[in-house]
Amino acid sequence: MSRFGAAIFGCEGLRLTADEKRFFADASPFGFILFARNVDNADQIRSLTGELRDCVGWNVPVFIDQEGGRVQRLRAPLASEWLPPLDDVIRFGDRAPEAMRLRYHIIGHELRSFGIDGNCAPMLDVARPNTHKFLRNRCYGSDLQTVTKIGQAVAQGHLDAGVLPVMKHLPGHGLAQLDSHLDLPRIAADRGALDAVDFAAFKPFSDLPLGMTAHLVFEKIDPQPATTSSKMIDVIRTDLGFEGFLMTDDISMEALSGSIEDRSSASIAAGCDAVLHCNGKLAEMQAIMEKVGAMTPQAQTRADQALTARQVPLDVDIKALHAEFEALIP
């Protein structure tokens, strides 16, 4: 019998309400995710991550989006400030893989200090000239080789820090010219072109513990968005070889149509292991759990396996890591 609900949830504010505590204890989600609305100061963040774990009764993973640059939930003085990822890759040139490993080791160290042990990175989408501006400078490069090298460095930096990396956005978001937070991107590229670049970027990462879907349509494969398409989940599982735990991108994003609960049940039916719901609205979370319930046995197995990748961080001097990073600046 599955121990976890098939969901990863946000929460509303800086502390849990009594209603949230009761709901989370009953729902037993696989994880939680924090946003800027949930962070104020160091003690408050530690108290909140402790509350989340206390209410479910185990060391549940707590995730965040801490890419650096525009997508960075923790800001100074709580955490280091960073350029957008693509800006750093460009400025470091040949030194970029080592610089990015150090960057995300530092990020991971900072997250762990607050009780956060999962980060939604690396982002393996291959940038194009027309990639939507919301996404483009969050990418690591515009060619397959660069994205692969940087992605491997980013993943290693997280693992060294004891933080679970969540690769995104499977099976590739780089061709999107719309922001999926607001609209549904449609990709007209044929299968051969996708296999050569966008899908290929994820193949070297099939052994990572967790992945996140993309909310976009690959028109030559299936008219349904990838998150709710069994054909696209099969591409991820079979063609890309990803055997890890697969969560949706935020199920409340406007790229998807229908009710929150119907989107959620469709994603689980398509083959996702858990629904990611980020806005912290309790009524929506309750509706989701009524639809999706507990994880499938297969999802539970993948969840258990993913948790084994959450290891004790390397013992490091964080000031020395910063010094190593800065010494690489051209």
Side-chain angles (χ1 to χ4, degrees), residues 87-131:
D87 291 6
D88 257 353
V89 172
I90 291 170
R91 74 165 173 155
F92 281 103
D94 291 343
R95 299 177 177 182
E98 177 62 7
M100 296 298 275
R101 183 189 66 80
L102 290 166
R103 166 178 163 141
Y104 286 93
H105 194 162
I106 294 166
I107 287 174
H109 178 89
E110 293 172 342
L111 295 180
R112 286 280 303 210
S113 75
F114 300 115
I116 301 165
D117 56 6
N119 192 23
C120 297
M123 199 174 87
L124 303 175
D125 306 317
V126 181
R128 308 299 209 283
N130 293 326
T131 299

Side-chain angles (χ1 to χ4, degrees), residues 195-213:
D195 282 335
V197 180
D198 297 85
F199 295 176
F202 291 89
K203 283 189 173 183
F205 299 86
S206 61
D207 60 342
L208 285 187
L210 302 115
M212 178 186 292
T213 65

Side-chain angles (χ1 to χ4, degrees), residues 15 56 92 173 187 192 210 213 215 231 258 288 305:
R15 300 294 299 270
V56 297
F92 281 103
H173 214 303
I187 308 304
L210 302 115
T213 65
H215 295 332
K231 289 182 181 179
I288 288 170
Q305 185 63 37

Side-chain angles (χ1 to χ4, degrees), residues 28-177:
S28 188
F30 172 69
F32 295 99
I33 188 165
L34 301 185
F35 283 81
R37 66 177 183 274
N38 305 124
V39 302
D40 180 39
N41 61 71
D43 288 342
Q44 171 269 320
I45 301 169
R46 294 187 190 105
S47 294
L48 178 58
T49 56
E51 279 187 321
L52 291 167
R53 293 187 169 105
D54 287 345
C55 72
V56 297
W58 68 286
N59 188 25
V60 62
V62 178
F63 299 93
I64 200 166
D65 284 303
Q66 191 76 354
E67 298 173 6
R70 179 166 35 82
V71 179
Q72 182 169 335
R73 313 306 181 194
L74 296 174
R75 295 283 179 182
L78 288 170
S80 304
E81 293 284 349
W82 303 96
L83 293 173
L86 186 57
D87 291 6
D88 257 353
V89 172
I90 291 170
R91 74 165 173 155
F92 281 103
D94 291 343
R95 299 177 177 182
E98 177 62 7
M100 296 298 275
R101 183 189 66 80
L102 290 166
R103 166 178 163 141
Y104 286 93
H105 194 162
I106 294 166
I107 287 174
H109 178 89
E110 293 172 342
L111 295 180
R112 286 280 303 210
S113 75
F114 300 115
I116 301 165
D117 56 6
N119 192 23
C120 297
M123 199 174 87
L124 303 175
D125 306 317
V126 181
R128 308 299 209 283
N130 293 326
T131 299
H132 191 276
K133 63 181 180 180
F134 181 80
L135 190 76
R136 194 174 193 285
N137 69 358
R138 298 164 56 195
C139 298
Y140 303 151
S142 56
D143 65 90
L144 181 61
Q145 183 179 27
T146 298
V147 171
T148 300
K149 284 184 178 180
I150 302 301
Q152 289 169 335
V154 170
Q156 190 61 54
H158 283 94
L159 293 169
D160 290 346
V163 170
L164 290 170
V166 182
M167 67 170 167
K168 60 187 184 186
H169 302 87
L170 284 154
H173 214 303
L175 287 169
Q177 297 182 28

